[in-house]
Amino acid sequence: MPNQCLQKCSHGCDVRVTSGCGGAGWIEHEKDDMVILREGICPGLNQDLIQALRNVDIRTVEDLVSANLEELAQKCSLSYKALIAVRRVLLAQHAAFPVSCADLYEELLSSTAILSTGNHSLDKLLDSGLYTGEITELTGGPGSGKTQVCFSTAVQIACQLKQSVIYIDTNGGMTANRLLQMLKAKASTMEEQMAALQRIQVLRVFDVFSLLTCLQNIRNGGVHMACVGGSVKALIIDSVSAVLSNMLGGKQTEGMSLMMQVAGELKTISKDLNIAVLVTNHATRDGSGQPRAGLGQSWSHIPRTRVLLQRVERPGTAPGLRLATLTKSSRQSCQVQEEFDLGCWTDSEEGKAGTSGKRKLESDSPK
């Protein structure tokens, strides 16, 4: 009777060592992405056939389905029809199930919601608002209005859409008094204002390690389940660059790795929890003096949509006037610009669905 035991090979992989009565043995690699050919996993795959395949180094399902069966039948003196039948069954058992593009699109439409920021001009740039399952980035210099937009968006989602928001503050700028002042313009009663405040859960972190821990808790449901007053539909981080920029450059080699870990957590949260993620980033200047987003080229691939905010400094203009430029988008033409006043945050037009065809989350949508 053959004896089997698991050992480590020279490459660090798990291997199954099988030895017979005569002391001879063979090794099977137990790789996570490989299925070893064994008796019983497929009709017609008996021990004689498996041994004949092993003699020509065919050990896994992948090896068999990718092999030239005509040559294999000749080498092993096996029935070509038998090999075809075995491969057909293995493909049915282990190959990916095909899904049509139409089905994928229908799934996208049913799972994606659009959250209005509460500002028509900004929603116009974003193709109706923030999309669940995606990362949107606001970038700009100090005083460009990034935090104000985050506040207003959180208030809009919590008060008008009655959905919960997780707000991660890395700058120490979040205050309940400021949110309450904004809520008073949207909700007439104290009960409505307090209910909206309860839907905004604020987490304060001031280093990248605390941020990663926080994001992992959200992904695992620890923070997600603690929110009250509706499902969590938005995660806002103001700002992601505040905890990442000091880890990049110079001799700090782990900075890039930490940044990509944050990016991976944000992508997982947005996709798996179907949440709209809004982050802010600082702006720098390129060689020609034009503003560009910080955190470098690697980070530029993380947000699906990116908006640059700048002050409008024309004579006679209001101090809160801002210019928003769409610098990255998969749905809209880039470099489109819109002006809006931070002091006059007006609701978007009711029922404006945009060009995407996806559903826009309204205040009477199911929670």
Side-chain angles (χ1 to χ4, degrees):
M1 190 74 180
N3 297 318
Q4 294 185 344
C5 63
L6 282 176
Q7 297 181 9
K8 292 285 185 181
C9 72
S10 59
H11 300 289
C13 302
D14 287 334
V15 297
R16 186 178 300 276
V17 180
T18 304
S19 58
C21 298
W26 59 87
I27 295 176
E28 299 174 352
H29 280 249
E30 298 288 328
K31 295 183 180 179
D32 292 337
D33 57 348
M34 299 284 189
V35 179
I36 303 297
L37 292 174
R38 294 191 182 91
E39 189 174 7
I41 69 170
C42 170
L45 192 62
N46 54 42
Q47 192 60 44
D48 292 337
L49 178 57
I50 292 172
Q51 187 58 53
L53 293 173
R54 283 192 179 128
N55 291 337
V56 291
D57 204 27
I58 302 294
R59 300 179 178 277
T60 68
V61 171
E62 182 182 358
D63 293 338
L64 181 56
V65 299
S66 60
N68 186 319
L69 296 190
E70 290 186 7
E71 295 181 0
L72 189 60
Q74 294 176 357
K75 286 181 181 179
C76 301
S77 300
L78 297 172
S79 168
Y80 175 71
K81 289 184 178 181
L83 290 176
I84 286 289
V86 169
R87 185 170 72 170
R88 185 179 295 117
V89 174
L90 290 175
L91 284 173
Q93 290 177 340
H94 299 281
F97 185 76
V99 180
S100 70
C101 291
D103 290 339
L104 289 175
Y105 185 64
E106 287 299 323
E107 181 183 353
L108 180 65
L109 291 181
S110 63
S111 63
T112 302
I114 307 173
L115 311 178
S116 171
T117 64
N119 184 281
H120 174 56
S121 297
L122 195 54
D123 281 353
K124 186 177 178 181
L125 281 184
L126 298 174
D127 191 17
S128 298
L130 303 176
Y131 281 61
T132 58
E134 296 185 7
I135 301 173
T136 302
E137 181 182 271
L138 298 175
T139 185
S144 59
K146 302 185 298 296
T147 297
Q148 180 72 13
V149 171
C150 289
F151 283 171
S152 301
T153 300
V155 167
Q156 168 71 13
I157 295 172
C159 185
Q160 299 299 111
L161 303 182
K162 294 180 171 54
Q163 306 294 318
S164 292
V165 180
I166 299 175
Y167 196 111
I168 299 180
D169 177 22
T170 66
N171 289 317
M174 163 61 76
T175 63
N177 287 336
R178 192 170 177 183
L179 286 180
L180 184 58
Q181 291 176 358
M182 301 174 72
L183 282 168
K184 287 179 179 179
K186 291 182 175 290
S188 57
T189 67
M190 180 60 71
E191 290 77 11
E192 291 176 329
Q193 295 165 13
M194 296 308 296
L197 279 178
Q198 283 191 336
R199 296 188 190 103
I200 303 175
Q201 184 169 1
V202 180
L203 303 170
R204 290 187 170 91
V205 300
F206 302 107
D207 61 79
V208 65
F209 302 103
S210 299
L211 176 60
L212 279 171
T213 300
C214 182
L215 293 177
Q216 289 162 3
N217 287 337
I218 294 172
R219 171 169 53 83
N220 294 329
V223 178
H224 184 271
M225 298 304 295
C227 285
V228 295
S231 60
V232 176
K233 283 297 179 184
L235 168 63
I236 299 174
I237 304 180
D238 181 34
S239 87
V240 71
S241 59
V243 295
L244 288 176
S245 58
N246 62 341
M247 301 293 295
L248 300 173
K251 297 181 179 180
Q252 302 181 83
T253 56
E254 65 176 353
M256 182 65 68
S257 174
L258 290 169
M259 184 178 73
M260 299 318 294
Q261 287 184 54
V262 170
E265 292 291 344
L266 291 177
K267 286 188 173 183
T268 300
I269 289 170
S270 64
K271 292 293 184 183
D272 291 358
L273 302 183
N274 198 30
I275 286 177
V277 176
L278 176 65
V279 301
T280 65
N281 187 4
H282 70 281
T284 60
R285 298 279 176 177
D286 60 19
S288 60
Q290 296 300 312
R292 66 178 182 185
L295 298 182
Q297 185 68 25
S298 297
W299 179 263
S300 67
H301 302 291
I302 305 306
R304 181 79 173 269
T305 304
R306 174 177 274 170
V307 175
L308 172 66
L309 297 179
Q310 296 173 282
R311 287 175 174 269
V312 176
E313 298 179 350
R314 291 194 302 264
T317 58
L321 193 63
R322 296 294 185 270
L323 176 66
T325 305
L326 186 66
T327 59
K328 180 182 179 182
S329 175
S330 60
R331 289 180 294 270
Q332 304 257 73
S333 299
C334 292
Q335 303 307 317
V336 178
Q337 297 181 328
E338 290 283 338
E339 289 187 2
F340 63 92
D341 194 333
L342 288 174
C344 302
W345 201 264
T346 56
D347 290 344
S348 301
E349 296 175 4
E350 287 292 330
K352 193 170 185 63
T355 59
S356 65
K358 300 181 181 68
R359 62 188 181 96
K360 190 165 187 177
L361 195 64
E362 305 293 349
S363 59
D364 57 353
S365 298
K367 301 178 185 62

